[in-house]
């Protein structure tokens, strides 16, 4: 994968950065921790422009988030609630907890999306609940772009400053991805054991 990323960026420049970041937003296993530092290294060598790298990477990341966002909107909250009532233990959520999560997104959605974009794995998945909560598209785009831009500035600057040692960024950040993944698995297992069905709704008077 590393050779493919480097070859794509080397041959196609900004279009390659856009394409690889688009794929990274759709498929979490593709690591932005390697994509952007290499582009920063290319900018340090004069092959690319620093701000051009930021624009291409950020636009690619945001466009790649849209399929997951629309998947959440199209699937719909009520359908998820019905699935939770039927397969709640596997989902580790019941309908009441889904309502609470959606309420949190209604109140703090932009902040959740912005900071979610800074976390490995979460950066892709955060688009789904935003769609389920029917977050307005302009708000979602603004929060997503802000988070993606901050992350890209950090990684591009690191690659720019480290020059040919840009791969050290991945070495440093890669363990963080495993920590986040392990934390997600632990939380899932705990919730799997402690899950309880939601209380039946009272009929309207």
């Amino acid at each position: 994968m590393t050779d493919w990323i480097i070859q794509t960026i080397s041959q196609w420049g900004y279009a390659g950065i856009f394409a690889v970041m688009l794929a990274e937003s759709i498929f979490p296993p593709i690591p932005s921790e390697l994509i952007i530092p290499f582009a920063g290294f290319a900018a340090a060598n004069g092959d690319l422009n620093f701000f051009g790298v930021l624009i291409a990477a950020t636009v690619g990341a945001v466009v790649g988030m849209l399929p997951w966002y629309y998947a959440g909107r199209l699937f719909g909250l009520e359908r998820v609630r019905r699935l939770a009532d039927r397969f709640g233990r596997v989902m580790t959520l019941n309908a009441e907890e889904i309502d609470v999560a959606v309420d949190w997104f209604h109140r703090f959605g932009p902040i959740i999306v912005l900071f979610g974009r800074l976390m490995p794995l979460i950066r892709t998945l955060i688009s789904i609940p935003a769609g389920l909560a029917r977050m307005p598209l302009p708000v979602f785009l603004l929060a997503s772009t802000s988070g993606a831009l901050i992350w890209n500035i950090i990684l591009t600057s690191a690659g720019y400053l480290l020059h040919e040692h840009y791969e050290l960024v991945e070495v440093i950040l890669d363990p963080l991805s495993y920590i986040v993944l392990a934390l997600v698995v632990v939380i899932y297992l705990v919730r799997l054991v402690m899950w309880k069905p939601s209380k039946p709704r009272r009929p309207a008077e």
Side-chain angles (χ1 to χ4, degrees):
M1 181 179 293
T2 300
D3 293 338
W4 171 73
I5 290 172
I6 293 174
Q7 184 178 6
T8 301
I9 295 176
S10 299
Q11 290 185 352
W12 298 97
Y14 304 115
I17 294 171
F18 171 86
V20 176
M21 286 302 293
L22 175 70
E24 186 264 350
S25 289
I26 298 175
F27 306 107
I30 299 177
S32 62
E33 292 81 2
L34 178 62
I35 301 167
I36 306 306
F38 174 74
F41 163 62
N45 280 349
D47 299 324
L48 297 171
N49 178 271
F50 183 91
F51 295 103
V53 169
L54 287 181
I55 293 172
T58 302
V59 173
V62 172
V63 172
M65 287 182 257
L66 291 176
W68 290 110
Y69 169 80
Y70 280 112
R73 288 193 69 128
L74 292 173
F75 198 79
L77 179 59
E78 284 305 314
R79 192 175 299 174
V80 173
R81 293 185 88 265
R82 289 196 297 270
L83 287 175
D85 286 335
R86 188 173 181 181
F87 306 106
R89 183 171 293 279
V90 176
M91 296 173 61
T92 72
L93 286 170
N94 60 39
E96 291 177 354
E97 290 170 330
I98 290 174
D99 289 339
V100 170
V102 169
D103 181 61
W104 272 76
F105 252 88
H106 286 154
R107 295 164 61 188
F108 308 109
I111 297 175
I112 295 173
V113 171
L114 190 154
F115 283 100
R117 285 298 304 169
L118 303 177
M119 300 179 66
L121 183 65
I122 304 299
R123 70 171 63 100
T124 295
L125 301 179
I126 199 66
S127 304
I128 300 174
L132 287 173
R134 304 191 73 80
M135 179 183 293
L137 182 59
V139 176
F140 173 76
L141 290 175
L142 179 60
S144 298
T145 302
S146 300
L149 181 60
I150 292 171
W151 185 242
N152 290 333
I153 288 174
I154 294 171
L155 294 183
T156 305
S157 299
Y160 191 94
L161 295 173
L162 289 171
H163 295 285
E164 66 272 12
H165 302 296
Y166 70 91
E167 72 277 359
L168 291 177
V169 179
E170 185 188 24
V171 173
I172 295 171
L173 293 179
D174 197 47
L176 178 61
S177 300
Y178 288 105
I179 291 172
V180 172
L181 179 59
L183 183 60
V184 170
V185 171
V186 169
I187 293 174
Y188 175 81
L189 292 176
V190 170
R191 291 189 58 83
L192 187 68
V193 172
M194 300 183 65
W195 179 84
K196 294 180 180 179
S198 58
K199 297 177 181 178
R201 289 183 176 183
R202 295 181 178 179
E205 295 181 358

